[in-house]
Amino acid sequence: MHPFHRLRPARVSLRWKIAALAAATACLVVAAVGVLVHLWTAHDIRDRAEAQAFNSVYSAMDVYRRTGTLADGAELDPAELPAALRQPADGNRHTAYDGRVDGNVGPSVWAAQRVGGPDGPVLAVRVNMSSELYGLHRLDVSMAVASLVALAAAVPLAVYGAGLLGRRLRRVSETAGRISAGDLDARTGPTKGRDEVADIAATVDLMADSLGRRLRTERQFTADVAHELRTPVGGLLAAVDLLPPGETEDLLRARVRDLRGLVEDLLEISRLDAGAEQPVRARVPLGAVVSEAVARTGLDAEVTVTDVKGGEAAKTVETDPRRLERIVSNLVVNAHRHGDTPVRVTVEGRTVVVRDHGPGFPPDLLLDGPRRFHTGTTERGSGHGLGLTIALGQARLLGAELSLDNAPDGGAVATLRLPN
């Protein structure tokens, strides 16, 4: 993780989002299909019952006219006859639905036709739909069970498919994160399939290639400029030594030394960028090294070495003392140049904390880390912005962690944690 990035809140995996969407879609499809099948089947049952009742009353009427007897199921003016069929105005056959449930008799369809003129009785036939509706109920249950089985099988498949997609996207995300953290050689590489994920992966790799070329060009330019300036700056410093003593000589000497310091910083950054630096480790007392580094700056800073539990082994560290001094001196100089007094340096265990009481680090520096030739807000003062960049590069070379923050009561806080 980039040392200057803030933690982001936990998020729900894309895998489970896709699985939940697939499950919700399957449920909607199952519900829609179930409702449509139920309505269509119920309508078909009623249509068939009406057709059966219509044909039955026709046959019963024919038998009644020829023999004067009632065929099976036919009745004259039955008491249960719906009111809509009690007074048919003509001799045509009519049907009506009766949704009442009476004992073993469920919803029915009645068909009726008046016999022998307007004052004659009404011959009616009743078709009970209980068995058909029971079959409809069994169909509903079967569809519900089949839908649950299908859903139980579809959700794991959706989770598996979403997992494949999520892994591909995670691979791209991890590559982008590594590039953001400074690993310009990170690549996603070829991905399976020819889809949007493959396009994203290819775009990230192309972006990394372009970014790597630009950074390598910038680093090479910085190194070339620093090397080209080193010789004339050295000549300037020698020439200044030949000037007669005076105010002008002192001013020129200070400016030339500042220029030489800038060139040396650029050379150091170019070596760090090129990976040409290698630490020379030794076991040294951390408190003594820090105190000496602060003293060499010639700046006023209060150094406090706190004893921690663990004895002598806890007071010494295995590191490169020269690079450690460079980090501490850069942090102290930065605190005086861009902050305000008092500047306090605290050593506790393997941790070194440098704090000033100025305006603090600007928000963009806390978010993205130090940038070359950029010092942040105006109240932080002037400078070329290379001190923190060098300190961060040297800390990485030592395997240490350098974090920047602001104190709650004001002031910048730089914390260096050395590895065990």
Side-chain angles (χ1 to χ4, degrees):
M1 180 179 294
H2 197 287
F4 303 101
H5 285 177
R6 293 294 183 263
L7 292 177
R8 298 178 180 177
R11 59 186 179 182
V12 180
S13 172
L14 179 63
R15 174 182 185 180
W16 296 110
K17 288 182 179 180
I18 295 177
L21 179 61
T25 303
C27 289
L28 289 176
V29 171
V30 165
V33 171
V35 169
L36 290 176
V37 170
H38 176 86
L39 293 177
W40 181 85
T41 305
H43 187 269
D44 181 66
I45 291 174
R46 184 166 174 175
D47 286 346
R48 287 188 285 107
E50 289 182 351
Q52 181 182 351
F54 196 85
N55 293 331
S56 296
V57 77
Y58 175 81
S59 300
M61 181 64 72
D62 182 62
V63 172
Y64 184 76
R65 286 175 177 172
R66 287 189 291 102
T67 64
T69 59
L70 296 174
D72 292 340
E75 302 178 68
L76 292 176
D77 293 327
E80 298 86 1
L81 188 67
L85 300 179
R86 291 185 179 278
Q87 299 292 333
D90 53 38
N92 294 329
R93 295 183 293 278
H94 299 274
T95 59
Y97 175 74
D98 183 6
R100 294 175 298 177
V101 177
D102 183 14
N104 295 328
V105 180
S108 306
V109 172
W110 289 85
Q113 183 175 356
R114 187 172 295 279
V115 181
D119 297 330
V122 175
L123 187 144
V125 174
R126 181 178 189 177
V127 176
N128 188 3
M129 297 190 300
S130 296
S131 60
E132 287 80 3
L133 294 179
Y134 176 73
L136 177 61
H137 174 71
R138 293 183 60 185
L139 176 63
D140 292 341
V141 172
S142 300
M143 287 194 62
V145 173
S147 300
L148 292 176
V149 172
L151 185 62
V155 168
L157 291 176
V159 172
Y160 176 74
L164 294 178
L165 177 62
R167 281 192 291 271
R168 296 174 63 195
L169 289 174
R170 192 179 303 112
R171 180 181 175 187
V172 177
S173 176
E174 291 173 352
T175 301
R178 290 169 56 191
I179 295 172
S180 176
D183 184 5
L184 300 182
D185 295 326
R187 295 294 184 274
T188 304
T191 59
K192 298 179 180 179
R194 298 173 59 88
D195 51 15
E196 289 80 0
V197 178
D199 294 340
I200 294 174
T203 303
V204 169
D205 287 348
L206 289 176
M207 178 194 68
D209 292 337
S210 176
L211 182 61
R213 286 194 298 269
R214 292 185 181 183
L215 287 180
R216 282 191 292 270
T217 301
E218 176 188 341
R219 291 172 177 176
Q220 186 62 44
F221 175 76
T222 302
D224 292 343
V225 168
H227 280 288
E228 292 296 328
L229 288 177
R230 193 174 190 179
T231 300
V233 168
L236 280 176
L237 189 60
V240 169
D241 291 336
L242 300 177
L243 293 175
E247 183 178 350
T248 302
E249 187 266 346
D250 292 339
L251 181 62
L252 286 176
R253 184 184 298 274
R255 294 295 180 265
V256 172
R257 285 177 177 174
D258 290 341
L259 182 58
R260 184 179 65 176
L262 175 59
V263 172
E264 294 297 331
D265 286 347
L266 289 175
L267 285 172
E268 186 171 357
I269 288 178
S270 66
R271 289 194 298 268
L272 290 172
D273 288 341
E277 296 288 305
Q278 295 294 330
V280 180
R281 300 183 182 275
R283 183 160 289 280
V284 295
L286 179 59
V289 173
V290 171
S291 299
E292 184 177 353
V294 174
R296 287 183 178 181
T297 63
L299 301 173
D300 184 20
E302 177 184 346
V303 180
T304 303
V305 180
T306 304
D307 289 334
V308 296
K309 186 177 180 180
E312 292 298 325
K315 298 178 183 179
T316 61
V317 295
E318 185 176 351
T319 186
D320 188 329
R322 183 184 68 83
R323 299 184 189 280
L324 178 59
E325 289 183 5
R326 177 66 160 155
I327 296 171
V328 174
S329 61
N330 277 19
L331 294 178
V332 172
V333 170
N334 183 81
H336 277 275
R337 179 178 295 172
H338 303 297
D340 199 358
T341 56
V343 176
R344 295 191 176 95
V345 181
T346 304
V347 180
E348 182 175 356
R350 298 177 179 272
T351 303
V352 181
V353 179
V354 179
R355 178 186 174 182
D356 62 49
H357 289 77
F361 293 115
D364 59 338
L365 187 145
L366 294 179
L367 180 63
D368 300 322
R371 289 182 288 172
R372 303 169 189 180
F373 301 101
H374 182 80
T375 57
T377 55
T378 305
E379 59 268 21
R380 289 286 296 174
S382 60
H384 48 69
L386 298 181
L388 288 179
T389 304
I390 293 175
L392 180 62
Q394 295 287 11
R396 288 175 177 169
L397 190 63
L398 296 179
E401 178 188 357
L402 177 60
S403 59
L404 307 179
D405 204 352
N406 290 328
D409 56 345
V413 179
T415 303
L416 177 68
R417 297 181 178 87
L418 297 175
N420 294 326

